[in-house]
């Protein structure tokens, strides 16, 4: 699990907690502890995607992926956090989402990424669907320790 660097803003530090915005070099951390936090995720990621200049289609992709991953961390991981950050590499800009929990981990990652696999009542498209919506997708998981997913969408 990657700890957050000290000095990062949290939702509580923002003037309008309902719709936090992401600044270029200032990541925003959102706790995933309540159902309301899941709505906050959607607003924060939308704001960041707009600020980053994403098209409406790419905004929808990033928001959907963030929503799925945040819900998984909340439901299956017992809560956690989402960090929304700008990404830059090789002249490209984008958004990076880092979702972490301290839940049971994912015992079979290959199965979990397969459409139709579910440990709950869902359809089993969340993790694999989020991976398809984003350009880069990395999962770090350890049974009994938790899961961190780092995913990036580049502006086209």
């Amino acid at each position: 699990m990657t700890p957050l660097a000290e000095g990062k803003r949290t939702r509580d530090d923002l003037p309008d907690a309902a719709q936090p915005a992401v600044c270029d070099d200032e990541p925003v951390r959102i706790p995933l502890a309540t159902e309301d936090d899941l709505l906050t995720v959607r607003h924060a990621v939308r704001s960041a995607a707009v600020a980053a200049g994403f098209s409406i289609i790419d905004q929808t992709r990033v928001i959907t992926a963030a929503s799925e991953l945040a819900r998984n961390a909340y439901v299956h991981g017992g809560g956690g956090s989402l960090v929304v950050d700008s990404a830059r590499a090789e002249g490209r800009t984008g958004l990076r989402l880092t979702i972490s929990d301290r839940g049971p981990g994912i015992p079979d990652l290959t199965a979990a990424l397969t459409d139709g696999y579910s440990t709950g009542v869902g359809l089993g498209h969340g993790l694999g669907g989020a991976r398809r919506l984003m350009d880069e997708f990395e999962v770090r998981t350890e049974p009994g320790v938790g899961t961190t997913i780092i995913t990036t969408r580049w502006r086209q």
Side-chain angles (χ1 to χ4, degrees), residues 3-110:
L4 295 173
E6 290 191 26
K8 302 293 183 190
R9 282 174 44 171
T10 66
R11 182 181 65 161
D12 297 332
D13 297 329
L14 299 173
D16 182 0
Q19 295 193 23
V22 174
C23 300
D24 282 341
D25 296 313
E26 213 167 315
V28 172
R29 181 183 181 272
I30 303 164
L32 303 173
T34 69
E35 287 281 333
D36 288 343
D37 293 335
L38 301 178
L39 181 59
T40 300
V41 163
R42 294 183 66 82
H43 288 292
V45 173
R46 180 186 180 282
S47 177
V50 168
F54 280 97
S55 70
I56 189 71
I57 292 170
D58 281 340
Q59 289 174 36
T60 303
R61 288 179 177 132
V62 175
I63 294 165
T64 302
S67 182
E68 289 291 336
L69 296 171
R71 180 164 292 287
N72 279 353
Y74 173 67
V75 172
H76 301 291
S81 66
L82 165 70
V83 176
V84 183
D85 198 3
S86 299
R88 290 186 184 79
E90 301 170 6
R92 300 182 298 172
T93 60
L95 285 179
R96 178 169 296 115
L97 309 175
T98 303
I99 300 91
S100 298
D101 68 54
R102 291 211 160 88
I106 303 172
D108 187 346
L109 184 57
T110 301

Side-chain angles (χ1 to χ4, degrees), residues 136-140 148-151:
E136 296 175 9
F137 196 88
E138 176 187 351
V139 179
R140 300 174 189 165
T148 296
I149 298 174
I150 303 165
T151 186

